[in-house]
Amino acid sequence: MMPARLDIISDAGLLELIGTEDPEREEALFSAARKARAGFYGQDVYFRGLIEFTNHCKNNCYYCGIRGANSRVERYRLSLEEILNCCRLGNLLGYRTFVLQGGEDPWFTDDRVAEIIGAIRREYPGHAITLSIGERGRESYERFFRAGADRYLLRHETANDAHYRKLHPESMSLPERKQCLYNLRDIGYQVGAGFMVGTPFQTPENLLEDLRFIEELKPHMVGIGPFIPQADTPFGNHPPGGFRQTLRMVALTRLLLPQALIPATTALGTISPFGREKGLMAGANVVMPNLSPKDVRKLYALYDNKICTGDEAAECRLCMEGRIRNFGFVPNMARGDYAGWGTGASTLPA
Ligand code: 5AD
Ligand code: FES
C-alpha cells in the first residue's frame, strides 16, 4: 500500500521508492499518483503552447546544448511580430496559455521583454502568459508581472549545493536560483520549479533533496525530465537519465503536491517512444506542444534527438491530442490555472 501522505514518509522510505526496481511497487506508486491527481484534475490534460523565442544564452550550464560557449549552434531570435504570429496561430489552434521560453539572452532587456508581454496581453486579455527566461532581479520580475505575465518557470535543476556546482560554472549558484524562485512566488506568479533526473554525479540522496525542496517551496508547477546528453557540451559523453526513475520522480512529486501542474516533458518523450503518455500515467497532467516556427525548432537543441522538431504547430497540437486520448486522457485547452488559484484556496503560505 502507498501511504496517502508522503510528507510523513521517512527519508529512508522515500529513498526506497526513488530507487525501486520492483515493477509491482512502481505500478502501485503510479496508481497512487493517478488517484491523487484525479481528485483535483480528473482525467484532464492541459495544453500549453511553447514559443522558444531565443536560443542565445550568456550562461554555460555544462549539460545544455545552447550554452553560450557552444559555437556550433546557429543562434536566432524571434522578432516581436514573429512572437505575436506564434501566439495568433496558437490561439487559432485553441491554446489559452503561451509559454515564452528562451536562453538567458541580454539582448532581451527588461524593456523588450515587458514590451512583448504587453503586446500579447493587449491582444489576448484572458490568456495566461508564462515566462521562462532564467534568472533576473526582483525588480525585473515585478515589472514583467505588472506588464501581464502570470506564471514563471525556473527549474532549480538540483537542490543539492555541491551537485549544483558540478553542473554549472562558478558564476551560477543554487542560493541565487532559490532566491529567484522565492521572489517570483512572493510577487504573485504561479511558479514552476523542477529538476533533471540522471544528470552526471547525481545520487539518490540528491533526488531526495529535490523532493524535500519541492515540499518546502510548494511550487504550482514542477517540470521533471531525464538528462539527455548533447554532443557539443562537456557532458556529451555521459549516459542519459533513467526513464523509469524519471517516472517515479514524477509520481512522487504528484503525491507530495497533489494539486501541482506537472508536465509530461518533451525530454521524456525523447528517451522513450510513449514517454509523455507514460509520464501522464505516472501523474503528470500538462503537455507543452511546440508553437515555435518550424525553421527554428532544430536550433533550440538543449539535448540531442529532440522530438517534434520537424512538425508544424498544428501537427503537434493534433498529434498530442490523439496520443493522450489513446491513453484515456481528455485534452483541456483552458488556461488551466493551479487548482484553487484565485479562490483563496491556494495551499501556499500567505
Ligand atoms: N537534457 C535534459 N534537459 C535539459 N535541460 C537543459 N539541458 C538539458 C539536457 N541536456 C532542461 C533544463 C532546463 C530546461 C529548459 O531544459 O532543466 O531548465
Ligand atoms: Fe509534436 Fe507529436 S507532439 S509531433
mmCIF file with all atom_site columns, all heavy atoms in Angstrom, residues 63-65 101 132 154-155 157 177 194-196 223 225-230 233 267 300 302-304, ligand 1:
data_model
loop_
_atom_site.group_PDB
_atom_site.id
_atom_site.type_symbol
_atom_site.label_atom_id
_atom_site.label_alt_id
_atom_site.label_comp_id
_atom_site.label_asym_id
_atom_site.label_entity_id
_atom_site.label_seq_id
_atom_site.pdbx_PDB_ins_code
_atom_site.Cartn_x
_atom_site.Cartn_y
_atom_site.Cartn_z
_atom_site.occupancy
_atom_site.B_iso_or_equiv
_atom_site.pdbx_formal_charge
_atom_site.auth_seq_id
_atom_site.auth_comp_id
_atom_site.auth_asym_id
_atom_site.auth_atom_id
_atom_site.pdbx_PDB_model_num
ATOM   1   N N   . TYR A 1 63  ? 25.405 20.948 -19.043 1.00 0.00 ? 63  TYR A N   1
ATOM   2   C CA  . TYR A 1 63  ? 24.533 19.956 -19.689 1.00 0.00 ? 63  TYR A CA  1
ATOM   3   C C   . TYR A 1 63  ? 23.815 20.495 -20.917 1.00 0.00 ? 63  TYR A C   1
ATOM   4   O O   . TYR A 1 63  ? 23.249 19.724 -21.684 1.00 0.00 ? 63  TYR A O   1
ATOM   5   C CB  . TYR A 1 63  ? 23.478 19.467 -18.678 1.00 0.00 ? 63  TYR A CB  1
ATOM   6   C CG  . TYR A 1 63  ? 22.809 20.590 -17.891 1.00 0.00 ? 63  TYR A CG  1
ATOM   7   C CD1 . TYR A 1 63  ? 21.752 21.313 -18.439 1.00 0.00 ? 63  TYR A CD1 1
ATOM   8   C CD2 . TYR A 1 63  ? 23.283 20.954 -16.622 1.00 0.00 ? 63  TYR A CD2 1
ATOM   9   C CE1 . TYR A 1 63  ? 21.163 22.355 -17.732 1.00 0.00 ? 63  TYR A CE1 1
ATOM   10  C CE2 . TYR A 1 63  ? 22.696 21.990 -15.915 1.00 0.00 ? 63  TYR A CE2 1
ATOM   11  C CZ  . TYR A 1 63  ? 21.643 22.694 -16.475 1.00 0.00 ? 63  TYR A CZ  1
ATOM   12  O OH  . TYR A 1 63  ? 21.089 23.730 -15.777 1.00 0.00 ? 63  TYR A OH  1
ATOM   13  N N   . CYS A 1 64  ? 23.799 21.807 -21.104 1.00 0.00 ? 64  CYS A N   1
ATOM   14  C CA  . CYS A 1 64  ? 22.824 22.390 -22.030 1.00 0.00 ? 64  CYS A CA  1
ATOM   15  C C   . CYS A 1 64  ? 23.409 22.714 -23.405 1.00 0.00 ? 64  CYS A C   1
ATOM   16  O O   . CYS A 1 64  ? 24.448 23.376 -23.513 1.00 0.00 ? 64  CYS A O   1
ATOM   17  C CB  . CYS A 1 64  ? 22.229 23.640 -21.406 1.00 0.00 ? 64  CYS A CB  1
ATOM   18  S SG  . CYS A 1 64  ? 20.934 24.365 -22.435 1.00 0.00 ? 64  CYS A SG  1
ATOM   19  N N   . GLY A 1 65  ? 22.725 22.284 -24.413 1.00 0.00 ? 65  GLY A N   1
ATOM   20  C CA  . GLY A 1 65  ? 23.190 22.459 -25.790 1.00 0.00 ? 65  GLY A CA  1
ATOM   21  C C   . GLY A 1 65  ? 23.240 23.901 -26.274 1.00 0.00 ? 65  GLY A C   1
ATOM   22  O O   . GLY A 1 65  ? 23.976 24.205 -27.217 1.00 0.00 ? 65  GLY A O   1
ATOM   23  N N   . GLN A 1 101 ? 9.734  30.864 -23.823 1.00 0.00 ? 101 GLN A N   1
ATOM   24  C CA  . GLN A 1 101 ? 10.953 30.307 -23.249 1.00 0.00 ? 101 GLN A CA  1
ATOM   25  C C   . GLN A 1 101 ? 12.170 30.707 -24.070 1.00 0.00 ? 101 GLN A C   1
ATOM   26  O O   . GLN A 1 101 ? 12.094 30.794 -25.294 1.00 0.00 ? 101 GLN A O   1
ATOM   27  C CB  . GLN A 1 101 ? 10.853 28.786 -23.188 1.00 0.00 ? 101 GLN A CB  1
ATOM   28  C CG  . GLN A 1 101 ? 12.055 28.152 -22.501 1.00 0.00 ? 101 GLN A CG  1
ATOM   29  C CD  . GLN A 1 101 ? 11.846 26.688 -22.192 1.00 0.00 ? 101 GLN A CD  1
ATOM   30  O OE1 . GLN A 1 101 ? 12.174 25.831 -22.983 1.00 0.00 ? 101 GLN A OE1 1
ATOM   31  N NE2 . GLN A 1 101 ? 11.285 26.404 -21.025 1.00 0.00 ? 101 GLN A NE2 1
ATOM   32  N N   . SER A 1 132 ? 9.719  31.946 -19.209 1.00 0.00 ? 132 SER A N   1
ATOM   33  C CA  . SER A 1 132 ? 10.768 31.018 -18.795 1.00 0.00 ? 132 SER A CA  1
ATOM   34  C C   . SER A 1 132 ? 12.073 31.521 -19.404 1.00 0.00 ? 132 SER A C   1
ATOM   35  O O   . SER A 1 132 ? 12.527 31.056 -20.442 1.00 0.00 ? 132 SER A O   1
ATOM   36  C CB  . SER A 1 132 ? 10.419 29.604 -19.294 1.00 0.00 ? 132 SER A CB  1
ATOM   37  O OG  . SER A 1 132 ? 11.432 28.685 -18.948 1.00 0.00 ? 132 SER A OG  1
ATOM   38  N N   . LEU A 1 154 ? 11.122 28.232 -13.702 1.00 0.00 ? 154 LEU A N   1
ATOM   39  C CA  . LEU A 1 154 ? 12.566 28.293 -13.461 1.00 0.00 ? 154 LEU A CA  1
ATOM   40  C C   . LEU A 1 154 ? 12.945 27.040 -12.690 1.00 0.00 ? 154 LEU A C   1
ATOM   41  O O   . LEU A 1 154 ? 12.805 26.966 -11.475 1.00 0.00 ? 154 LEU A O   1
ATOM   42  C CB  . LEU A 1 154 ? 12.918 29.548 -12.634 1.00 0.00 ? 154 LEU A CB  1
ATOM   43  C CG  . LEU A 1 154 ? 14.400 29.770 -12.356 1.00 0.00 ? 154 LEU A CG  1
ATOM   44  C CD1 . LEU A 1 154 ? 15.141 30.228 -13.611 1.00 0.00 ? 154 LEU A CD1 1
ATOM   45  C CD2 . LEU A 1 154 ? 14.602 30.793 -11.239 1.00 0.00 ? 154 LEU A CD2 1
ATOM   46  N N   . ARG A 1 155 ? 13.400 26.044 -13.413 1.00 0.00 ? 155 ARG A N   1
ATOM   47  C CA  . ARG A 1 155 ? 13.776 24.816 -12.713 1.00 0.00 ? 155 ARG A CA  1
ATOM   48  C C   . ARG A 1 155 ? 14.962 25.070 -11.809 1.00 0.00 ? 155 ARG A C   1
ATOM   49  O O   . ARG A 1 155 ? 15.882 25.782 -12.195 1.00 0.00 ? 155 ARG A O   1
ATOM   50  C CB  . ARG A 1 155 ? 14.152 23.735 -13.733 1.00 0.00 ? 155 ARG A CB  1
ATOM   51  C CG  . ARG A 1 155 ? 12.974 23.225 -14.547 1.00 0.00 ? 155 ARG A CG  1
ATOM   52  C CD  . ARG A 1 155 ? 13.431 22.005 -15.305 1.00 0.00 ? 155 ARG A CD  1
ATOM   53  N NE  . ARG A 1 155 ? 12.419 21.454 -16.158 1.00 0.00 ? 155 ARG A NE  1
ATOM   54  C CZ  . ARG A 1 155 ? 12.650 20.458 -17.012 1.00 0.00 ? 155 ARG A CZ  1
ATOM   55  N NH1 . ARG A 1 155 ? 13.879 19.934 -17.106 1.00 0.00 ? 155 ARG A NH1 1
ATOM   56  N NH2 . ARG A 1 155 ? 11.687 19.981 -17.766 1.00 0.00 ? 155 ARG A NH2 1
ATOM   57  N N   . GLU A 1 157 ? 16.923 22.685 -11.006 1.00 0.00 ? 157 GLU A N   1
ATOM   58  C CA  . GLU A 1 157 ? 17.870 21.739 -11.636 1.00 0.00 ? 157 GLU A CA  1
ATOM   59  C C   . GLU A 1 157 ? 18.393 20.675 -10.683 1.00 0.00 ? 157 GLU A C   1
ATOM   60  O O   . GLU A 1 157 ? 18.431 19.501 -11.017 1.00 0.00 ? 157 GLU A O   1
ATOM   61  C CB  . GLU A 1 157 ? 19.039 22.435 -12.345 1.00 0.00 ? 157 GLU A CB  1
ATOM   62  C CG  . GLU A 1 157 ? 18.676 23.612 -13.262 1.00 0.00 ? 157 GLU A CG  1
ATOM   63  C CD  . GLU A 1 157 ? 17.810 23.255 -14.478 1.00 0.00 ? 157 GLU A CD  1
ATOM   64  O OE1 . GLU A 1 157 ? 17.472 22.079 -14.651 1.00 0.00 ? 157 GLU A OE1 1
ATOM   65  O OE2 . GLU A 1 157 ? 17.451 24.169 -15.240 1.00 0.00 ? 157 GLU A OE2 1
ATOM   66  N N   . ARG A 1 177 ? 19.534 30.975 -7.260  1.00 0.00 ? 177 ARG A N   1
ATOM   67  C CA  . ARG A 1 177 ? 18.414 30.416 -8.015  1.00 0.00 ? 177 ARG A CA  1
ATOM   68  C C   . ARG A 1 177 ? 17.187 30.253 -7.109  1.00 0.00 ? 177 ARG A C   1
ATOM   69  O O   . ARG A 1 177 ? 16.076 30.605 -7.480  1.00 0.00 ? 177 ARG A O   1
ATOM   70  C CB  . ARG A 1 177 ? 18.810 29.072 -8.603  1.00 0.00 ? 177 ARG A CB  1
ATOM   71  C CG  . ARG A 1 177 ? 17.938 28.686 -9.773  1.00 0.00 ? 177 ARG A CG  1
ATOM   72  C CD  . ARG A 1 177 ? 18.669 27.715 -10.655 1.00 0.00 ? 177 ARG A CD  1
ATOM   73  N NE  . ARG A 1 177 ? 17.934 27.446 -11.868 1.00 0.00 ? 177 ARG A NE  1
ATOM   74  C CZ  . ARG A 1 177 ? 18.085 28.066 -13.019 1.00 0.00 ? 177 ARG A CZ  1
ATOM   75  N NH1 . ARG A 1 177 ? 18.923 29.080 -13.120 1.00 0.00 ? 177 ARG A NH1 1
ATOM   76  N NH2 . ARG A 1 177 ? 17.408 27.716 -14.080 1.00 0.00 ? 177 ARG A NH2 1
ATOM   77  N N   . GLY A 1 194 ? 11.671 22.687 -10.697 1.00 0.00 ? 194 GLY A N   1
ATOM   78  C CA  . GLY A 1 194 ? 11.859 21.390 -11.345 1.00 0.00 ? 194 GLY A CA  1
ATOM   79  C C   . GLY A 1 194 ? 13.310 21.004 -11.456 1.00 0.00 ? 194 GLY A C   1
ATOM   80  O O   . GLY A 1 194 ? 14.208 21.785 -11.133 1.00 0.00 ? 194 GLY A O   1
ATOM   81  N N   . PHE A 1 195 ? 13.519 19.779 -11.903 1.00 0.00 ? 195 PHE A N   1
ATOM   82  C CA  . PHE A 1 195 ? 14.876 19.231 -11.912 1.00 0.00 ? 195 PHE A CA  1
ATOM   83  C C   . PHE A 1 195 ? 15.009 18.157 -12.984 1.00 0.00 ? 195 PHE A C   1
ATOM   84  O O   . PHE A 1 195 ? 14.016 17.651 -13.514 1.00 0.00 ? 195 PHE A O   1
ATOM   85  C CB  . PHE A 1 195 ? 15.204 18.639 -10.536 1.00 0.00 ? 195 PHE A CB  1
ATOM   86  C CG  . PHE A 1 195 ? 14.161 17.663 -10.033 1.00 0.00 ? 195 PHE A CG  1
ATOM   87  C CD1 . PHE A 1 195 ? 14.289 16.299 -10.272 1.00 0.00 ? 195 PHE A CD1 1
ATOM   88  C CD2 . PHE A 1 195 ? 13.040 18.109 -9.345  1.00 0.00 ? 195 PHE A CD2 1
ATOM   89  C CE1 . PHE A 1 195 ? 13.333 15.399 -9.816  1.00 0.00 ? 195 PHE A CE1 1
ATOM   90  C CE2 . PHE A 1 195 ? 12.072 17.213 -8.892  1.00 0.00 ? 195 PHE A CE2 1
ATOM   91  C CZ  . PHE A 1 195 ? 12.221 15.857 -9.129  1.00 0.00 ? 195 PHE A CZ  1
ATOM   92  N N   . MET A 1 196 ? 16.248 17.867 -13.303 1.00 0.00 ? 196 MET A N   1
ATOM   93  C CA  . MET A 1 196 ? 16.535 16.777 -14.238 1.00 0.00 ? 196 MET A CA  1
ATOM   94  C C   . MET A 1 196 ? 16.877 15.519 -13.446 1.00 0.00 ? 196 MET A C   1
ATOM   95  O O   . MET A 1 196 ? 17.424 15.586 -12.346 1.00 0.00 ? 196 MET A O   1
ATOM   96  C CB  . MET A 1 196 ? 17.711 17.142 -15.141 1.00 0.00 ? 196 MET A CB  1
ATOM   97  C CG  . MET A 1 196 ? 17.355 18.180 -16.193 1.00 0.00 ? 196 MET A CG  1
ATOM   98  S SD  . MET A 1 196 ? 18.799 18.692 -17.131 1.00 0.00 ? 196 MET A SD  1
ATOM   99  C CE  . MET A 1 196 ? 19.618 19.737 -15.950 1.00 0.00 ? 196 MET A CE  1
ATOM   100 N N   . GLY A 1 223 ? 8.499  20.868 -13.329 1.00 0.00 ? 223 GLY A N   1
ATOM   101 C CA  . GLY A 1 223 ? 8.977  20.251 -14.568 1.00 0.00 ? 223 GLY A CA  1
ATOM   102 C C   . GLY A 1 223 ? 10.072 19.240 -14.249 1.00 0.00 ? 223 GLY A C   1
ATOM   103 O O   . GLY A 1 223 ? 11.077 19.578 -13.621 1.00 0.00 ? 223 GLY A O   1
ATOM   104 N N   . GLY A 1 225 ? 12.374 16.103 -16.049 1.00 0.00 ? 225 GLY A N   1
ATOM   105 C CA  . GLY A 1 225 ? 12.715 15.360 -17.255 1.00 0.00 ? 225 GLY A CA  1
ATOM   106 C C   . GLY A 1 225 ? 14.037 14.651 -17.071 1.00 0.00 ? 225 GLY A C   1
ATOM   107 O O   . GLY A 1 225 ? 14.839 15.020 -16.197 1.00 0.00 ? 225 GLY A O   1
ATOM   108 N N   . PRO A 1 226 ? 14.279 13.623 -17.879 1.00 0.00 ? 226 PRO A N   1
ATOM   109 C CA  . PRO A 1 226 ? 15.579 12.945 -17.809 1.00 0.00 ? 226 PRO A CA  1
ATOM   110 C C   . PRO A 1 226 ? 16.666 13.831 -18.412 1.00 0.00 ? 226 PRO A C   1
ATOM   111 O O   . PRO A 1 226 ? 16.404 14.566 -19.373 1.00 0.00 ? 226 PRO A O   1
ATOM   112 C CB  . PRO A 1 226 ? 15.359 11.704 -18.675 1.00 0.00 ? 226 PRO A CB  1
ATOM   113 C CG  . PRO A 1 226 ? 14.346 12.152 -19.692 1.00 0.00 ? 226 PRO A CG  1
ATOM   114 C CD  . PRO A 1 226 ? 13.431 13.106 -18.957 1.00 0.00 ? 226 PRO A CD  1
ATOM   115 N N   . PHE A 1 227 ? 17.853 13.755 -17.857 1.00 0.00 ? 227 PHE A N   1
ATOM   116 C CA  . PHE A 1 227 ? 19.011 14.358 -18.536 1.00 0.00 ? 227 PHE A CA  1
ATOM   117 C C   . PHE A 1 227 ? 19.244 13.592 -19.834 1.00 0.00 ? 227 PHE A C   1
ATOM   118 O O   . PHE A 1 227 ? 19.161 12.360 -19.868 1.00 0.00 ? 227 PHE A O   1
ATOM   119 C CB  . PHE A 1 227 ? 20.248 14.264 -17.640 1.00 0.00 ? 227 PHE A CB  1
ATOM   120 C CG  . PHE A 1 227 ? 21.539 14.426 -18.404 1.00 0.00 ? 227 PHE A CG  1
ATOM   121 C CD1 . PHE A 1 227 ? 21.919 15.664 -18.910 1.00 0.00 ? 227 PHE A CD1 1
ATOM   122 C CD2 . PHE A 1 227 ? 22.353 13.322 -18.655 1.00 0.00 ? 227 PHE A CD2 1
ATOM   123 C CE1 . PHE A 1 227 ? 23.087 15.806 -19.656 1.00 0.00 ? 227 PHE A CE1 1
ATOM   124 C CE2 . PHE A 1 227 ? 23.536 13.453 -19.385 1.00 0.00 ? 227 PHE A CE2 1
ATOM   125 C CZ  . PHE A 1 227 ? 23.904 14.699 -19.880 1.00 0.00 ? 227 PHE A CZ  1
ATOM   126 N N   . ILE A 1 228 ? 19.507 14.343 -20.913 1.00 0.00 ? 228 ILE A N   1
ATOM   127 C CA  . ILE A 1 228 ? 19.847 13.715 -22.192 1.00 0.00 ? 228 ILE A CA  1
ATOM   128 C C   . ILE A 1 228 ? 21.110 14.405 -22.713 1.00 0.00 ? 228 ILE A C   1
ATOM   129 O O   . ILE A 1 228 ? 21.148 15.634 -22.809 1.00 0.00 ? 228 ILE A O   1
ATOM   130 C CB  . ILE A 1 228 ? 18.707 13.888 -23.229 1.00 0.00 ? 228 ILE A CB  1
ATOM   131 C CG1 . ILE A 1 228 ? 17.389 13.313 -22.679 1.00 0.00 ? 228 ILE A CG1 1
ATOM   132 C CG2 . ILE A 1 228 ? 19.072 13.222 -24.563 1.00 0.00 ? 228 ILE A CG2 1
ATOM   133 C CD1 . ILE A 1 228 ? 16.184 13.568 -23.581 1.00 0.00 ? 228 ILE A CD1 1
ATOM   134 N N   . PRO A 1 229 ? 22.159 13.654 -23.023 1.00 0.00 ? 229 PRO A N   1
ATOM   135 C CA  . PRO A 1 229 ? 23.404 14.313 -23.423 1.00 0.00 ? 229 PRO A CA  1
ATOM   136 C C   . PRO A 1 229 ? 23.260 15.069 -24.751 1.00 0.00 ? 229 PRO A C   1
ATOM   137 O O   . PRO A 1 229 ? 22.481 14.683 -25.617 1.00 0.00 ? 229 PRO A O   1
ATOM   138 C CB  . PRO A 1 229 ? 24.396 13.148 -23.573 1.00 0.00 ? 229 PRO A CB  1
ATOM   139 C CG  . PRO A 1 229 ? 23.553 11.922 -23.707 1.00 0.00 ? 229 PRO A CG  1
ATOM   140 C CD  . PRO A 1 229 ? 22.268 12.200 -22.974 1.00 0.00 ? 229 PRO A CD  1
ATOM   141 N N   . GLN A 1 230 ? 23.980 16.165 -24.858 1.00 0.00 ? 230 GLN A N   1
ATOM   142 C CA  . GLN A 1 230 ? 24.070 16.906 -26.116 1.00 0.00 ? 230 GLN A CA  1
ATOM   143 C C   . GLN A 1 230 ? 25.538 16.873 -26.507 1.00 0.00 ? 230 GLN A C   1
ATOM   144 O O   . GLN A 1 230 ? 26.399 17.262 -25.702 1.00 0.00 ? 230 GLN A O   1
ATOM   145 C CB  . GLN A 1 230 ? 23.546 18.332 -25.913 1.00 0.00 ? 230 GLN A CB  1
ATOM   146 C CG  . GLN A 1 230 ? 23.088 19.037 -27.192 1.00 0.00 ? 230 GLN A CG  1
ATOM   147 C CD  . GLN A 1 230 ? 24.246 19.439 -28.093 1.00 0.00 ? 230 GLN A CD  1
ATOM   148 O OE1 . GLN A 1 230 ? 25.335 19.736 -27.617 1.00 0.00 ? 230 GLN A OE1 1
ATOM   149 N NE2 . GLN A 1 230 ? 24.019 19.423 -29.408 1.00 0.00 ? 230 GLN A NE2 1
ATOM   150 N N   . THR A 1 233 ? 28.477 19.489 -25.678 1.00 0.00 ? 233 THR A N   1
ATOM   151 C CA  . THR A 1 233 ? 28.611 20.018 -24.313 1.00 0.00 ? 233 THR A CA  1
ATOM   152 C C   . THR A 1 233 ? 29.634 19.193 -23.537 1.00 0.00 ? 233 THR A C   1
ATOM   153 O O   . THR A 1 233 ? 29.976 18.077 -23.939 1.00 0.00 ? 233 THR A O   1
ATOM   154 C CB  . THR A 1 233 ? 27.265 19.918 -23.554 1.00 0.00 ? 233 THR A CB  1
ATOM   155 O OG1 . THR A 1 233 ? 26.913 18.526 -23.422 1.00 0.00 ? 233 THR A OG1 1
ATOM   156 C CG2 . THR A 1 233 ? 26.152 20.649 -24.285 1.00 0.00 ? 233 THR A CG2 1
ATOM   157 N N   . ALA A 1 267 ? 11.474 15.955 -23.030 1.00 0.00 ? 267 ALA A N   1
ATOM   158 C CA  . ALA A 1 267 ? 12.633 15.081 -22.795 1.00 0.00 ? 267 ALA A CA  1
ATOM   159 C C   . ALA A 1 267 ? 12.173 13.648 -22.492 1.00 0.00 ? 267 ALA A C   1
ATOM   160 O O   . ALA A 1 267 ? 12.788 12.687 -22.958 1.00 0.00 ? 267 ALA A O   1
ATOM   161 C CB  . ALA A 1 267 ? 13.492 15.630 -21.646 1.00 0.00 ? 267 ALA A CB  1
ATOM   162 N N   . TYR A 1 300 ? 16.816 25.041 -31.321 1.00 0.00 ? 300 TYR A N   1
ATOM   163 C CA  . TYR A 1 300 ? 16.627 25.083 -29.867 1.00 0.00 ? 300 TYR A CA  1
ATOM   164 C C   . TYR A 1 300 ? 16.957 23.694 -29.318 1.00 0.00 ? 300 TYR A C   1
ATOM   165 O O   . TYR A 1 300 ? 16.115 22.990 -28.778 1.00 0.00 ? 300 TYR A O   1
ATOM   166 C CB  . TYR A 1 300 ? 15.195 25.505 -29.512 1.00 0.00 ? 300 TYR A CB  1
ATOM   167 C CG  . TYR A 1 300 ? 15.079 26.089 -28.127 1.00 0.00 ? 300 TYR A CG  1
ATOM   168 C CD1 . TYR A 1 300 ? 15.397 27.426 -27.895 1.00 0.00 ? 300 TYR A CD1 1
ATOM   169 C CD2 . TYR A 1 300 ? 14.686 25.316 -27.043 1.00 0.00 ? 300 TYR A CD2 1
ATOM   170 C CE1 . TYR A 1 300 ? 15.307 27.969 -26.624 1.00 0.00 ? 300 TYR A CE1 1
ATOM   171 C CE2 . TYR A 1 300 ? 14.598 25.858 -25.768 1.00 0.00 ? 300 TYR A CE2 1
ATOM   172 C CZ  . TYR A 1 300 ? 14.904 27.183 -25.570 1.00 0.00 ? 300 TYR A CZ  1
ATOM   173 O OH  . TYR A 1 300 ? 14.816 27.730 -24.301 1.00 0.00 ? 300 TYR A OH  1
ATOM   174 N N   . LEU A 1 302 ? 18.502 21.783 -26.786 1.00 0.00 ? 302 LEU A N   1
ATOM   175 C CA  . LEU A 1 302 ? 19.050 21.650 -25.436 1.00 0.00 ? 302 LEU A CA  1
ATOM   176 C C   . LEU A 1 302 ? 19.775 20.323 -25.305 1.00 0.00 ? 302 LEU A C   1
ATOM   177 O O   . LEU A 1 302 ? 20.753 20.191 -24.577 1.00 0.00 ? 302 LEU A O   1
ATOM   178 C CB  . LEU A 1 302 ? 17.930 21.712 -24.402 1.00 0.00 ? 302 LEU A CB  1
ATOM   179 C CG  . LEU A 1 302 ? 16.991 22.921 -24.473 1.00 0.00 ? 302 LEU A CG  1
ATOM   180 C CD1 . LEU A 1 302 ? 15.950 22.842 -23.362 1.00 0.00 ? 302 LEU A CD1 1
ATOM   181 C CD2 . LEU A 1 302 ? 17.773 24.214 -24.372 1.00 0.00 ? 302 LEU A CD2 1
ATOM   182 N N   . TYR A 1 303 ? 19.245 19.306 -26.029 1.00 0.00 ? 303 TYR A N   1
ATOM   183 C CA  . TYR A 1 303 ? 19.830 17.964 -25.989 1.00 0.00 ? 303 TYR A CA  1
ATOM   184 C C   . TYR A 1 303 ? 19.627 17.322 -27.359 1.00 0.00 ? 303 TYR A C   1
ATOM   185 O O   . TYR A 1 303 ? 18.871 17.837 -28.199 1.00 0.00 ? 303 TYR A O   1
ATOM   186 C CB  . TYR A 1 303 ? 19.177 17.121 -24.881 1.00 0.00 ? 303 TYR A CB  1
ATOM   187 C CG  . TYR A 1 303 ? 17.676 17.213 -24.858 1.00 0.00 ? 303 TYR A CG  1
ATOM   188 C CD1 . TYR A 1 303 ? 16.887 16.478 -25.731 1.00 0.00 ? 303 TYR A CD1 1
ATOM   189 C CD2 . TYR A 1 303 ? 17.037 18.093 -23.986 1.00 0.00 ? 303 TYR A CD2 1
ATOM   190 C CE1 . TYR A 1 303 ? 15.508 16.600 -25.730 1.00 0.00 ? 303 TYR A CE1 1
ATOM   191 C CE2 . TYR A 1 303 ? 15.653 18.222 -23.979 1.00 0.00 ? 303 TYR A CE2 1
ATOM   192 C CZ  . TYR A 1 303 ? 14.899 17.468 -24.857 1.00 0.00 ? 303 TYR A CZ  1
ATOM   193 O OH  . TYR A 1 303 ? 13.541 17.596 -24.864 1.00 0.00 ? 303 TYR A OH  1
ATOM   194 N N   . ASP A 1 304 ? 20.296 16.181 -27.591 1.00 0.00 ? 304 ASP A N   1
ATOM   195 C CA  . ASP A 1 304 ? 20.258 15.552 -28.912 1.00 0.00 ? 304 ASP A CA  1
ATOM   196 C C   . ASP A 1 304 ? 18.940 14.793 -29.145 1.00 0.00 ? 304 ASP A C   1
ATOM   197 O O   . ASP A 1 304 ? 18.301 14.320 -28.207 1.00 0.00 ? 304 ASP A O   1
ATOM   198 C CB  . ASP A 1 304 ? 21.443 14.589 -29.062 1.00 0.00 ? 304 ASP A CB  1
ATOM   199 C CG  . ASP A 1 304 ? 22.765 15.345 -29.189 1.00 0.00 ? 304 ASP A CG  1
ATOM   200 O OD1 . ASP A 1 304 ? 22.756 16.485 -29.703 1.00 0.00 ? 304 ASP A OD1 1
ATOM   201 O OD2 . ASP A 1 304 ? 23.807 14.801 -28.759 1.00 0.00 ? 304 ASP A OD2 1
HETATM 202 N N1  . 5AD B 2 .   ? 18.841 17.204 -21.007 1.00 0.00 ? 1   5AD B N1  1
HETATM 203 C C1  . 5AD B 2 .   ? 17.624 17.340 -20.441 1.00 0.00 ? 1   5AD B C1  1
HETATM 204 N N2  . 5AD B 2 .   ? 17.111 18.521 -20.062 1.00 0.00 ? 1   5AD B N2  1
HETATM 205 C C2  . 5AD B 2 .   ? 17.859 19.621 -20.281 1.00 0.00 ? 1   5AD B C2  1
HETATM 206 N N3  . 5AD B 2 .   ? 17.620 20.904 -19.994 1.00 0.00 ? 1   5AD B N3  1
HETATM 207 C C3  . 5AD B 2 .   ? 18.678 21.631 -20.403 1.00 0.00 ? 1   5AD B C3  1
HETATM 208 N N4  . 5AD B 2 .   ? 19.608 20.831 -20.945 1.00 0.00 ? 1   5AD B N4  1
HETATM 209 C C4  . 5AD B 2 .   ? 19.121 19.560 -20.870 1.00 0.00 ? 1   5AD B C4  1
HETATM 210 C C5  . 5AD B 2 .   ? 19.620 18.282 -21.235 1.00 0.00 ? 1   5AD B C5  1
HETATM 211 N N5  . 5AD B 2 .   ? 20.824 18.142 -21.804 1.00 0.00 ? 1   5AD B N5  1
HETATM 212 C C6  . 5AD B 2 .   ? 16.438 21.346 -19.252 1.00 0.00 ? 1   5AD B C6  1
HETATM 213 C C7  . 5AD B 2 .   ? 16.829 22.129 -18.002 1.00 0.00 ? 1   5AD B C7  1
HETATM 214 C C8  . 5AD B 2 .   ? 16.217 23.486 -18.251 1.00 0.00 ? 1   5AD B C8  1
HETATM 215 C C9  . 5AD B 2 .   ? 15.095 23.168 -19.217 1.00 0.00 ? 1   5AD B C9  1
HETATM 216 C C10 . 5AD B 2 .   ? 14.626 24.326 -20.024 1.00 0.00 ? 1   5AD B C10 1
HETATM 217 O O1  . 5AD B 2 .   ? 15.640 22.175 -20.046 1.00 0.00 ? 1   5AD B O1  1
HETATM 218 O O2  . 5AD B 2 .   ? 16.252 21.524 -16.859 1.00 0.00 ? 1   5AD B O2  1
HETATM 219 O O3  . 5AD B 2 .   ? 15.734 24.105 -17.090 1.00 0.00 ? 1   5AD B O3  1
#
